[in-house]
Amino acid sequence: MRIGVIAIQGDVSEHVEALEAALSHRGKEAEIVTIKQKGIVPCCDALIIPGGESTTLGKLLVREGIADEIKQIKNAGRPIMGTCAGLILLAKEGDEQVKKTHQYLLGLMDTRVNRNAFGRQRDSFEVELDIDFLDSTYNAVFIRAPAIVQSGKDVRTLSRIDDMVVAAEQENVLALAFHPELTADTRVHDYFLAKLF
Amino acid sequence: MELEKLRHGTELIKRGFAKMQKGGVIMDVTTPEQAQIAEEAGAVAVMALQAVPADIRKEGGVARMADPKIVSEIIDTVTIPVMAKARIGHFVEGEILQALGVDMVDESEVLTPADHKYHIDKTVFTVPFVCGARDLGEALRRINEGAAMIRTKGEAGTGDVSEAVRHMKQIMGEIRALNGMTKEEIIRVAREIEAPIELVIETAKMQRLPVVNFAAGGVATPADAALMMRLGADGVFVGSGIFKAEKPREMAIAIVEAVNNYDDAQVLADISKGIGSGMKGISIDTIPDEMVLRTRGW
């Protein structure tokens, strides 16, 4: 098994460490590769798009020729997880902010997102969150976080804050508005790995 | 969701914000138009300023926090985070920037210090801070005061990368030297470099600074940016280097790509073609002592 983490920009090493912890927790082994150039994504059995700045990530995914490779992973039915900026990139449609910057979107989920749904950095927060696949709450870290504000019938809501969806799933694609890679609780990465093993 | 259940401004959130900037380029801008060029080039954030360090240097006088009007206009223009500088020790400038909605405050030696004894107590702020450092002791003292991100001081506004190189190598070298030390040896180092023992122990264990560490101060070309990444920087601040260059837009794009491809000389060679000349700059050893910025703060 080989799990790729898109490493163009953002909190890549945190995802790698969270994956390592979750793998050892499950007693499984997998090769983890960080990806900055094209040609590597097609060799991956699963993919993570980390948090970072979505405008930067979007531009470089296209410039480096990685964007189309990610779409092929989706079509091949392999698991993909996007956190924060990743949730934006996976969406089909964005709000005015997203449109204004001509933000590139992969369009792998039937969702519409608000880029900074909860405000600026001073409004960023931690909260005990109920997530559909966990039996107790999860300390979720939201940093200038986006949210899904509209979604198609094939999208399953996994968690919400008021009327905003902050975790969702569509077939093999999982999107989170928060950062499971920033805390020591590996249950979200565990859930993702369960799609592989 | 009840509002009181949301916890704001925690250490995790402040340091987490800095982590989202990793592998990115943060660019100094003085107008909304420049901010837009930076965003379009792929900057992860912009630093809103009244004047870039090269001009601050030229103009002389007291350099203060930027006009809030400029900062607000830049905030309204871009979707990426906006940072701004406060004077060393000037916690009210910090509070004003936080009230404006700035996403990170740089307590910066580029501005004229407001306090020659104390830096800002950054733990009481909701907004995260970045601070400059020349060595490990200085970096850990700032982290102890609540800095969520460290950058080298370098020598801002010169286009001469040599001080940034010196500071990055100094910090990395001091961290490597901690490797394999006994606890009593580490405690002795902590005393020598005037840093809190727990932070030195944490640094020794992690073999890196406990917060994100960027390069800053004199980065002027894609090769400079790649050099700093090779030396272990998590990302790069470019001050005067973009908008004092002959072709700012091309330079901005090239530096963003250089940071992503810092370990591939072939790609760097292609990136560096046809982007015009970098800022003219000044060689650091020709700067009179009273004009040196990196010695501000302690």
Side-chain angles (χ1 to χ4, degrees):
Chain A
M1 286 293 174
R2 187 181 289 127
I3 306 170
V5 181
I6 300 296
I8 279 177
Q9 192 271 314
D11 67 338
V12 178
S13 61
E14 287 73 12
H15 265 294
V16 171
E17 283 162 26
L19 275 174
E20 282 166 353
L23 280 166
S24 89
H25 184 234
R26 295 185 79 83
K28 300 284 184 189
E29 279 182 26
E31 184 192 351
I32 302 169
V33 289
T34 54
I35 302 164
K36 292 172 147 200
Q37 276 102 17
K38 66 175 176 186
I40 306 166
V41 169
C43 321
C44 293
D45 300 296
L47 206 58
I48 289 182
I49 307 174
E53 286 308 319
S54 54
T55 47
T56 307
L57 277 161
K59 280 179 216 306
L60 287 171
L61 281 179
V62 175
R63 274 186 221 162
E64 303 292 347
I66 299 173
D68 287 335
E69 295 181 340
I70 299 176
K71 290 183 184 172
Q72 285 160 21
I73 289 283
K74 154 77 166 65
N75 293 336
R78 298 177 204 163
I80 301 176
M81 173 164 79
T83 63
C84 196
L87 172 140
I88 298 174
L89 289 164
L90 289 169
K92 200 169 77 177
E93 203 192 339
D95 61 352
E96 291 311 311
Q97 271 203 334
V98 171
K99 286 178 181 150
K100 186 175 89 172
T101 55
H102 310 291
Q103 166 79 54
Y104 175 80
L105 300 174
L106 290 162
L108 302 185
M109 290 181 84
D110 189 7
T111 51
R112 179 185 158 89
V113 294
N114 273 8
R115 169 157 180 178
N116 293 124
F118 300 96
R120 305 192 67 84
Q121 173 59 17
R122 62 180 176 198
D123 309 305
S124 295
F125 60 91
E126 288 179 57
V127 71
E128 291 299 320
L129 196 67
D130 287 313
I131 304 177
D132 185 73
F133 54 81
L134 298 179
D135 46 20
S136 61
T137 60
Y138 187 88
N139 184 39
V141 184
F142 290 81
I143 295 175
R144 284 174 50 99
I148 297 171
V149 289
Q150 210 178 305
S151 50
K153 60 176 174 21
D154 297 330
V155 180
R156 189 161 79 93
T157 295
L158 299 173
S159 182
R160 58 170 74 235
I161 292 179
D162 298 331
D163 54 350
M164 290 196 271
V165 173
V166 294
E169 196 169 39
Q170 182 176 359
E171 296 159 21
N172 51 329
V173 186
L174 173 65
L176 309 161
F178 54 93
H179 294 281
E181 72 280 11
L182 289 184
T183 52
D185 188 340
T186 60
R187 287 181 294 163
V188 172
H189 283 81
D190 258 353
Y191 176 75
F192 179 62
L193 287 180
K195 296 172 185 293
L196 257 187
F197 295 104
Chain B
M1 183 73 54
E2 295 154 49
L3 233 52
E4 59 268 30
K5 287 189 177 159
L6 308 183
R7 304 189 299 284
H8 298 281
T10 63
E11 209 54 59
L12 185 59
I13 290 168
K14 292 198 246 184
R15 291 185 180 190
F17 169 79
K19 286 177 177 176
M20 298 311 143
Q21 304 285 303
K22 286 199 296 180
V25 182
I26 300 167
M27 301 181 190
D28 277 8
V29 299
T30 57
T31 63
E33 293 72 35
Q34 289 184 354
Q36 197 155 359
I37 290 172
E39 180 171 61
E40 282 165 9
V44 289
V46 293
M47 178 74 70
L49 286 162
Q50 192 114 21
V52 293
D55 288 332
I56 291 176
R57 210 173 256 295
K58 214 180 293 170
E59 283 156 26
V62 176
R64 310 181 179 94
M65 169 185 82
D67 179 346
K69 184 166 171 281
I70 295 177
V71 178
S72 289
E73 282 171 2
I74 290 171
I75 285 176
D76 293 340
T77 303
V78 292
T79 64
I80 52 178
V82 176
M83 306 183 178
K85 291 183 194 293
R87 283 178 267 177
I88 289 173
H90 206 315
F91 55 87
V92 173
E93 283 189 349
E95 287 166 3
I96 291 170
L97 293 173
Q98 175 169 279
L100 286 172
V102 159
D103 296 292
M104 181 172 245
V105 178
D106 182 2
E107 187 182 19
S108 178
E109 69 283 359
V110 169
L111 305 182
T112 311
D115 189 326
H116 291 280
K117 212 165 175 184
Y118 301 101
H119 280 253
I120 297 172
D121 174 9
K122 294 162 277 286
T123 60
V124 299
F125 282 78
T126 304
V127 77
F129 274 71
V130 54
C131 288
R134 287 160 295 176
D135 54 41
L136 182 60
E138 194 173 14
L140 296 181
R141 286 194 292 280
R142 295 295 86 77
I143 293 168
N144 191 49
E145 291 158 359
M149 181 177 184
I150 293 295
R151 55 169 176 77
T152 58
K153 283 183 167 173
E155 188 60 35
T158 60
D160 182 342
V161 79
S162 64
E163 282 299 321
V165 167
R166 188 202 307 276
H167 301 160
M168 190 56 78
K169 284 191 165 174
Q170 175 69 29
I171 291 171
M172 294 301 179
E174 286 182 86
I175 294 173
R176 274 194 305 274
L178 293 172
N179 197 15
M181 277 190 186
T182 63
K183 193 172 176 193
E184 59 181 12
E185 287 167 338
I186 290 175
I187 290 171
R188 202 178 65 110
V189 170
R191 231 177 30 232
E192 279 168 9
I193 66 172
E194 296 178 61
I197 292 166
E198 318 76 65
L199 284 177
V200 183
I201 291 172
E202 192 184 350
T203 304
K205 202 178 290 172
M206 293 172 73
Q207 277 296 295
R208 59 154 296 139
L209 285 182
V211 301
V212 168
N213 182 23
F214 266 47
V219 176
T221 66
D224 286 351
L227 172 66
M228 297 313 299
M229 294 300 287
R230 287 283 286 276
L231 295 177
D234 291 319
V236 178
F237 282 91
V238 187
S240 319
I242 305 273
F243 291 98
K244 287 287 170 191
E246 187 189 348
K247 299 178 183 170
R249 198 181 294 268
E250 285 77 2
M251 184 61 82
I253 292 173
I255 291 181
V256 168
E257 293 191 352
V259 167
N260 189 43
N261 294 286
Y262 67 87
D263 46 7
D264 188 332
Q266 188 58 53
V267 176
L268 291 173
D270 293 340
I271 289 169
S272 304
K273 281 176 194 160
I275 54 170
S277 57
M279 67 181 284
K280 182 161 178 284
I282 31 170
S283 174
I284 285 173
D285 46 20
T286 63
I287 301 173
D289 283 354
E290 65 275 15
M291 297 290 284
V292 168
L293 302 177
R294 64 184 180 276
T295 50
R296 294 168 166 180
W298 41 92

